[in-house]
Amino acid sequence: FSASDETKKAIVDGYDVSKDKVCVVPLGANMDNPPTKHDIDGFIESKKDNSICSLLFVGVDWYRKGADIVLKVVESLHEQGFPVQLNLVGLKSIPVDLPSYVHNYGFINKNEDIGAKLLSKLYSEAHYLFVPSRSEAYGLVFCEANAFGVPCISLNEGGLKTIVKNGVNGYLFNEDSPIAEYSNIIKQNFSDKRRYVSLCYSSYGR
């Protein structure tokens, strides 16, 4: 068994195994108490009329997880007058000064009750999980976001191609995609509430 199409290819190519003998079984959210459908309805309803687009980054490594890309996109949106805020979780160190509309929560231990509740709150309030990983074997954080009905934005790399499907539960970009491409997708969905709500529910169903 393999968690992603990328890993399956590596197994088939590396061990000279028939592709028919390797099955792809994607992993799900690593959560003890995932939200119910009733919870999801409440999360999405509360975000429909929100005047500020909330983006969430969850990752430890600044560069590999693409936090630099996230910050450039958020800065671009802010400069355009678009109402946006960014919450950062998990980073070991941050090599730049953060603007006022970016909040750093640092490491959150979800194995502790207080940490699990805080992370759940951040997921439930986020309009997007934005983690453009330059390298990712799989990415359980994307599954966790989808469990909260939160669409994901990332790069077309590794196991992410198995998890995130464009227009279904988020969007994948190339590493050299212009910042404007990210910004446009975020703005278009946020301004079209019906489209955004549909994306949230298909993310949850994914």
Side-chain angles (χ1 to χ4, degrees):
F1 293 98
S2 166
S4 71
D5 297 307
E6 193 78 2
T7 305
K8 175 180 177 177
K9 184 178 184 302
I11 293 172
V12 171
D13 294 344
Y15 294 94
D16 194 26
V17 177
S18 170
K19 63 180 180 180
D20 296 329
K21 293 185 177 182
V22 183
C23 296
V24 176
V25 182
L27 302 173
N30 182 26
M31 306 173 71
D32 292 331
N33 298 296
T36 64
K37 174 59 166 54
H38 178 73
D39 294 330
I40 299 300
D41 291 338
F43 298 156
I44 295 174
E45 185 63 30
S46 68
K47 287 186 285 190
K48 278 170 54 178
D49 298 323
N50 198 317
S51 60
I52 299 178
C53 183
S54 180
L55 304 178
L56 176 64
F57 172 94
V58 181
V60 175
D61 187 280
W62 175 268
Y63 182 77
R64 185 174 72 82
K65 294 290 186 176
D68 56 316
I69 297 174
V70 175
L71 191 58
K72 288 177 183 177
V73 172
V74 172
E75 288 175 338
S76 174
L77 287 168
H78 181 75
E79 289 170 0
Q80 295 172 53
F82 182 78
V84 64
Q85 66 179 25
L86 170 64
N87 292 318
L88 302 172
V89 173
L91 289 167
K92 290 182 178 179
S93 62
I94 299 177
V96 297
D97 292 329
L98 299 176
S100 60
Y101 46 89
V102 178
H103 185 83
N104 178 34
Y105 284 86
F107 176 75
I108 296 177
N109 187 354
K110 67 178 182 180
N111 293 319
E112 297 177 354
D113 188 56
I114 188 170
K117 287 181 178 178
L118 175 57
L119 191 57
S120 292
K121 180 176 184 294
L122 291 172
Y123 273 127
S124 68
E125 295 175 350
H127 287 87
Y128 285 99
L129 176 74
F130 192 178
V131 186
S133 298
R134 292 179 167 91
S135 174
E136 197 74 68
Y138 190 69
L140 289 176
V141 67
F142 301 94
C143 301
E144 292 178 0
N146 282 172
F148 279 82
V150 178
C152 302
I153 298 175
S154 193
L155 296 186
N156 190 33
E157 298 290 340
L160 295 171
K161 291 178 283 188
T162 297
I163 304 172
V164 182
K165 304 300 180 184
N166 284 323
V168 177
N169 62 329
Y171 299 92
L172 294 179
F173 294 83
N174 296 321
E175 187 174 351
D176 60 354
S177 292
I179 295 302
E181 287 189 14
Y182 295 93
S183 302
N184 289 339
I185 282 291
I186 292 170
K187 289 190 296 183
Q188 288 168 10
N189 280 284
F190 189 75
S191 62
D192 186 340
K193 298 302 182 184
R194 181 175 296 182
R195 176 178 172 180
Y196 176 73
V197 167
S198 177
L199 183 62
C200 288
Y201 278 114
S202 61
S203 296
Y204 178 67
R206 174 70 181 155

